[in-house]
Amino acid sequence: MTPEPPYYAVIFTSQRTEGDKGYAEMSRRMEELASAQPGYLGIESTKGPDGFGITVSYWSDEGAIARWKANMEHRVAQGAGRSAWYAGYTIRIARVERAYGFAMPPAA
Amino acid sequence: MTPEPPYYAVIFTSQRTEGDKGYAEMSRRMEELASAQPGYLGIESTKGPDGFGITVSYWSDEGAIARWKANMEHRVAQGAGRSAWYAGYTIRIARVERAYGFAMPPAA
């Protein structure tokens, strides 16, 4: 999915509040907007039953992240707002230096 | 939870196979071992109902990650093995350069 390193990752860990309050729609739109942005490489996201979620988006460079961040903050400000959607979150900007993996070969 | 950057993050994204096969026990032991390791800063993990999970562990430096990796591979090799537990996974080693967050103030 992602190219050879180096590239950038934005690690977004969050604790959701209860109730949707327009969150699902905002989240869907954000992913759509991200994927249309130059420098976007991909996104992976998962959330447990306790509302704790991790989303990692991948970017070619820091400029692309800065543009995405401005866009995201704009959307959150326009929407129900961060304190309605989140009890808390942390955003970490990191430079991916190495990557490796494993995929099970398809069943014969 | 984590100190001021820079520090390191290991982003582990995985697709689990069905059934436990000793996975939960291995996972619990791994977290215990990680937290006892010099250079360990913390771990965050979540998994959706589809078996796709993201675990991010935080480390002070690359040496700590290398020791942890050797330990982890040893355990996986001793256990049911990666193809029993995982349909696939990717590990990314990244240097966290900036971090910021938001926490809702406690209710009055």
Side-chain angles (χ1 to χ4, degrees), chain A residues 12-94:
Chain A
F12 179 76
T13 52
S14 65
Q15 183 63 53
R16 283 291 319 282
T17 53
E18 287 189 26
D20 185 69
K21 309 181 198 95
Y23 179 82
E25 170 60 17
M26 181 280 290
S27 184
R28 197 190 55 75
R29 276 287 295 155
M30 290 304 289
E31 214 168 303
E32 219 172 83
L33 280 167
S35 64
Q37 195 118 346
Y40 169 85
L41 301 175
I43 194 165
E44 295 178 305
S45 192
T46 184
K47 191 171 66 192
D50 56 354
F52 180 74
I54 304 180
T55 297
V56 188
S57 57
Y58 304 100
W59 303 89
S60 61
D61 60 275
E62 293 196 89
I65 294 173
R67 288 188 294 274
W68 165 243
K69 179 176 180 286
N71 211 327
M72 188 166 76
E73 285 174 352
H74 182 60
R75 294 275 157 174
V76 169
Q78 281 183 321
R82 63 182 192 179
S83 60
W85 286 328
Y86 299 109
Y89 61 71
T90 301
I91 295 173
R92 294 178 172 91
I93 318 284

Side-chain angles (χ1 to χ4, degrees), chain B residues 33-84:
Chain B
L33 280 168
S35 65
Q37 194 117 347
Y40 170 85
L41 302 175
I43 194 164
E44 295 179 304
S45 192
T46 185
K47 190 170 68 192
D50 57 353
F52 180 74
I54 304 180
T55 297
V56 188
S57 57
Y58 304 101
W59 302 89
S60 61
D61 60 275
E62 293 195 90
I65 294 173
R67 288 188 294 274
W68 165 242
K69 180 176 180 286
N71 211 325
M72 187 167 76
E73 285 173 351
H74 183 60
R75 294 276 157 174
V76 169
Q78 282 183 319
R82 64 182 191 179
S83 61

